[in-house]
Amino acid sequence: GSVLVGGGSGFIGTAFSQLLRSKGYGVLIVSRMPGPQRISWTDLVENGLPANTMAVVNLAGQNVLDPTRRWTPGFKQNVWNSRVNTTQSLAQAILKAQNKPKVFVTISGVGIYQPSSTAEYNEDSQGKKFDFLSELCYEWENVGKMPAHLGVRHVIIRSGVVLGKKGGMIRHLYLPFYLGLGGPVGKGDQKEDVRGVLNGVAPQIVTNKEFAKTFAKALWRPALIPIPEYALNLAFSEERAKMMTEGQKVVPKRTLAYGFQYKYPNIESACREIVKS
Ligand code: NDP
């Protein structure tokens, strides 16, 4: 069987697809661009799940922090649709498939938890709709829930900022951010009982400041000069800049309870890995 990965061409998707291939799985990517081992979103809607799909994962999404794109209503619509509609198309295809995949994994963000300097959130915490991004996370998680009613295991990963040299935050801005995700699966053991919401964050909670210091140190640079909040608000518009200027304390309680092994459990090891090579 093979794994169908929406957005498998992206920063996280590429790393994930490589990991799968290295473990001997077939990978088929759903992409807007044609290519080998790829299908289009239209193919998916018209022809349904490819035969022998054993798992479906969605990692598609228009880059929210693209500094070349202004935060206009049109761009926000792209940000929304590229997540909600793609997840919905995959869910629909699973619903219609004769042979169901074993598992459907969708990603969402820690932006579902309201930024706070005191509250500490885990997977049992109720999310709230308090701004555009939290509403997006809600809807994004919701549209993926239907297949679970037909017995397809659903895993939702509420991801913190993913640190890696090939994309995301680090490549973009070299900016401090609130949380770092440890890295790909440690042992890659099969866990057939994992379901529900998992916080995709490292067990160590770090502040913006701590991250900046550690990252600068790993680069053998003096600590970064803090970027004033108004500059970010100006460049990204406040609704988006909040992702960088505000943060929330998120604990991977369920992730740890399932025995997930972090390859880079703390910010030092993650930063060392990023600047290596
Ligand atoms: P990327 O920016 O690398 O994009 C992932 C893929 O999404 C692209 O390769 C592209 O595939 C597809 N895509 C982009 N725009 C659109 C669009 N308008 N319509 C349909 N598909 C589109 O993302 P990441 O790998 O960094 O992140 C993957 C997912 O994880 C995203 O949904 C993101 O919100 C989420 N996430 C990421 C975090 C991070 O720190 N990186 C943190 C929390 C959540 P193609 O060009 O092949 O169509």
Side-chain angles (χ1 to χ4, degrees), residues 7 9-13 30-33 38 41 59-64 78 82-83 86 107-109 140 159-162 168-169:
S9 59
F11 165 47
I12 303 174
V30 194
S31 170
R32 293 165 302 169
M33 300 287 287
R38 288 186 181 205
W41 292 100
L59 295 170
Q62 175 93 42
N63 186 348
V64 188
N78 281 344
S82 60
R83 289 172 175 76
T86 54
I107 196 165
S108 148
W140 197 8
S159 178
V161 171
V162 179
M169 197 66 192

Side-chain angles (χ1 to χ4, degrees), residues 75 81 128 254:
F75 181 66
N81 291 347
K128 250 199 255 166
R254 295 190 78 234

Side-chain angles (χ1 to χ4, degrees), residues 101-179:
K102 283 196 194 168
V103 59
F104 183 31
V105 182
T106 61
I107 196 165
S108 148
V110 293
I112 201 160
Y113 305 119
Q114 184 149 30
S116 159
S117 51
T118 49
E120 205 171 274
Y121 301 103
N122 64 46
E123 294 91 338
D124 305 325
S125 313
Q126 267 329 90
K128 250 199 255 166
K129 293 188 198 173
F130 52 89
D131 64 0
F132 173 77
L133 289 167
S134 60
E135 272 169 32
L136 170 56
C137 288
Y138 245 91
E139 198 55 22
W140 197 8
E141 292 189 2
N142 259 330
V143 294
K145 285 180 179 165
M146 273 308 279
H149 297 295
L150 298 181
V152 178
R153 199 151 57 78
H154 184 206
V155 181
I156 298 170
I157 297 175
R158 289 182 182 154
S159 178
V161 171
V162 179
L163 301 179
K165 50 181 171 280
K166 292 193 179 138
M169 197 66 192
I170 295 280
R171 196 202 53 185
H172 246 42
L173 295 167
Y174 281 78
L175 260 192
F177 205 83
Y178 210 83
L179 285 167

